């Protein structure tokens, strides 16, 4: 038996301490592919009442066949002791898979993996109220005051995850109005219907995969953003379909179809554009030999590079560089995918 469990306010269905509506939490569970069990409680209930409700719920799960329960605590001994207390008589094995991980390294690792999330609530005794509603990203972590854990391990802040590696789809939201109550600041998260405009995929198919999308898919889809960042870091390397599909956490076939539908071309075609785009910048900003630039942007031979460059720019690399110098331009337009 596998599943998730969450405490919600019995009056409005919001997650206690986070303020997130239970409908969004249900969508997250569906994106992960696991059933979700809600424990309704009065938001003003005492810690003892919450623990008692958890004891009952865990007991029911054990009776239904569950063998263990996992918690995401990182370092709080107080929190860990409380979890152990409420499960002590249930017969469930208790696991803490993230226990004692370095929280700064952990936050950097999950962000590098492409996690997309919003800060949905903050403890205003620890952080300014306007930290709620910000993206949980490297800039947010860098802006945290001294003493605030970068993972919110002391409940300084809580986040709502839109997408993470392994999810079947994203649960896209946008922060709207802020709500302050007692020593907490919450932000209302409104669901977005989709981050892929309706009809785009059909339009691309009808055009044989060559029509440009109406949005920048790399900014709208966390999976594609992760792919682009990986490509830019390793542009001079052999970026095979298998390697990039692994970065996207998809099968090779699934990634090929996913990329074509959202970007409007094959990954190989887009990669060629990306490499020529970077080559144009090198030609404008450096005096490096064409052969060296070809190697730097990932072409195995200068001849292949020159042919690909001419196909995209309708001139040779040397002609492009000469045109830039003669016209005194910051740059001649690079290719558009």
């Amino acid at each position: 038996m596998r599943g998730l469990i969450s405490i919600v306010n019995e009056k409005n269905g919001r997650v206690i301490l986070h303020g997130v509506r239970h409908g969004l939490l249900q969508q997250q569970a569906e994106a992960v592919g696991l059933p979700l069990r809600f424990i309704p409680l009065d938001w003003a209930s005492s810690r003892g009442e919450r623990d008692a409700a958890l004891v009952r719920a865990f007991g029911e799960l054990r009776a239904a066949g569950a063998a263990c329960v996992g918690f995401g605590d990182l370092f709080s001994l107080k929190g860990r002791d409380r979890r152990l207390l409420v499960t002590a008589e249930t017969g469930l094995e208790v696991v803490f898979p993230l226990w004692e991980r370095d929280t700064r390294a952990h936050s950097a690792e999950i962000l590098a993996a492409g996690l997309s999330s919003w800060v949905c609530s903050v403890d205003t005794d620890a952080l300014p109220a306007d930290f709620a509603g910000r993206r949980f990203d490297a800039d947010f972590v860098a802006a945290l005051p001294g003493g605030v854990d970068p993972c919110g391990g002391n409940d300084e802040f809580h986040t709502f995850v839109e997408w993470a590696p392994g999810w079947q789809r994203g649960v896209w939201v946008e922060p709207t109005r802020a709500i302050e109550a007692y020593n907490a600041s919450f932000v209302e998260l409104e669901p977005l219907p989709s981050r892929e405009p309706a009809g785009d995929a059909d339009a691309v198919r009808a055009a044989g995969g060559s029509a440009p999308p109406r949005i920048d898919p790399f900014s709208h889809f966390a999976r594609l953003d992760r792919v682009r960042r990986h490509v830019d870091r390793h542009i001079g390397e052999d970026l095979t379909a298998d390697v990039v599909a692994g970065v996207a956490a998809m099968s090779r076939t699934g990634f090929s179809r996913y990329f074509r539908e959202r970007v409007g071309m094959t990954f190989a075609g887009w990669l060629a554009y990306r490499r020529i785009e970077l080559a144009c910048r090198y030609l404008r900003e450096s005096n490096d030999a064409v052969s060296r630039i070809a190697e730097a942007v990932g072409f195995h031979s200068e001849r292949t590079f020159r042919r690909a460059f001419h196909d995209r720019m309708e001139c040779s690399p040397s002609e492009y560089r000469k045109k830039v110098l003669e016209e005194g331009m910051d740059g001649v337009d690079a290719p558009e995918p």
Side-chain angles (χ1 to χ4, degrees):
M1 179 180 180
R2 301 174 61 199
L4 306 169
I5 191 167
S6 178
I7 297 175
V8 296
N9 186 330
E10 64 183 3
K11 293 182 179 179
N12 60 22
R14 293 179 182 269
V15 183
I16 292 178
L17 297 182
H18 293 220
V20 175
R21 283 175 283 188
H22 74 282
L24 289 174
L25 204 66
Q26 183 64 55
Q27 290 183 50
Q28 286 179 313
E30 292 169 359
V32 175
L34 292 173
L36 172 62
R37 179 189 180 94
F38 291 112
I39 303 176
L41 281 177
D42 187 327
W43 72 273
S45 60
S46 67
R47 174 64 66 183
E49 290 170 328
R50 293 182 192 179
D51 288 349
L54 283 170
V55 169
R56 290 193 297 271
F58 287 140
E60 293 169 359
L61 290 173
R62 181 71 180 93
C68 70
V69 59
F71 296 98
D73 297 81
L74 288 155
F75 59 80
S76 172
L77 288 172
K78 183 178 179 181
R80 177 171 177 164
D81 289 346
R82 190 165 62 246
R83 317 288 190 215
L84 293 171
L85 179 64
V86 299
T87 55
E89 298 180 5
T90 63
L92 290 169
E93 178 187 356
V94 184
V95 295
F96 296 87
L98 303 179
W99 187 250
E100 292 188 336
R101 290 207 66 185
D102 179 274
T103 55
R104 189 161 296 278
H106 182 62
S107 65
E109 182 179 324
I110 60 178
L111 289 174
L115 178 120
S116 176
S117 65
W118 295 95
V119 179
C120 58
S121 68
V122 302
D123 178 348
T124 51
D125 289 337
L127 288 170
D130 62 3
F131 272 57
R134 292 180 56 173
R135 275 283 184 192
F136 177 70
D137 54 19
D139 290 338
F140 176 85
V141 173
L144 292 174
V148 174
D149 183 69
C151 291
N154 293 307
D155 288 330
E156 300 100 326
F157 63 89
H158 299 280
T159 61
F160 177 86
V161 177
E162 293 181 305
W163 184 88
W167 284 30
Q168 298 171 11
R169 60 182 176 83
V171 182
W172 310 114
V173 298
E174 61 177 351
T176 55
R177 65 190 181 99
I179 305 167
E180 292 190 44
Y182 301 100
N183 63 335
S185 176
F186 302 89
V187 67
E188 186 73 276
L189 297 175
E190 294 293 342
L192 295 174
S194 172
R195 296 188 76 167
E196 179 181 5
D200 267 14
D202 291 337
V204 168
R205 293 190 193 98
S210 60
R214 292 193 295 269
I215 61 171
D216 175 13
F218 297 94
S219 296
H220 280 69
F221 297 99
R223 195 186 299 264
L224 289 178
D225 177 62
R226 192 164 73 254
V227 167
R228 179 167 61 181
R229 287 187 283 112
H230 179 85
V231 165
D232 288 347
R233 287 195 300 269
H234 303 277
I235 193 74
E237 301 174 16
D238 188 13
L239 292 165
T240 66
D242 287 334
V243 168
V244 179
V247 172
M250 302 179 74
S251 69
R252 178 174 178 170
T253 302
F255 172 72
S256 176
R257 181 173 59 252
Y258 176 90
F259 192 95
R260 186 180 180 88
E261 288 180 350
R262 285 157 178 77
V263 180
M265 61 177 62
T266 65
F267 171 75
W270 173 82
L271 178 60
Y273 277 118
R274 197 70 173 168
R275 284 173 162 160
I276 297 301
E277 181 182 43
L278 181 59
C280 286
R281 181 162 70 84
Y282 287 163
L283 288 165
R284 294 194 306 266
E285 299 176 1
S286 78
N287 294 318
D288 289 347
V290 170
S291 58
R292 185 171 181 179
I293 291 175
E295 182 180 357
V297 298
F299 285 89
H300 296 300
S301 74
E302 183 180 346
R303 182 179 179 181
T304 302
F305 169 66
R306 287 181 179 276
R307 184 171 60 249
F309 192 95
H310 195 280
D311 287 345
R312 302 297 188 274
M313 302 303 296
E314 298 183 347
C315 65
S316 71
S318 299
E319 289 169 341
Y320 176 87
R321 176 177 270 166
K322 182 179 179 182
K323 184 177 182 180
V324 170
L325 293 174
E326 288 179 346
E327 298 184 9
M329 301 168 62
D330 289 334
V332 179
D333 289 343
E336 288 293 335

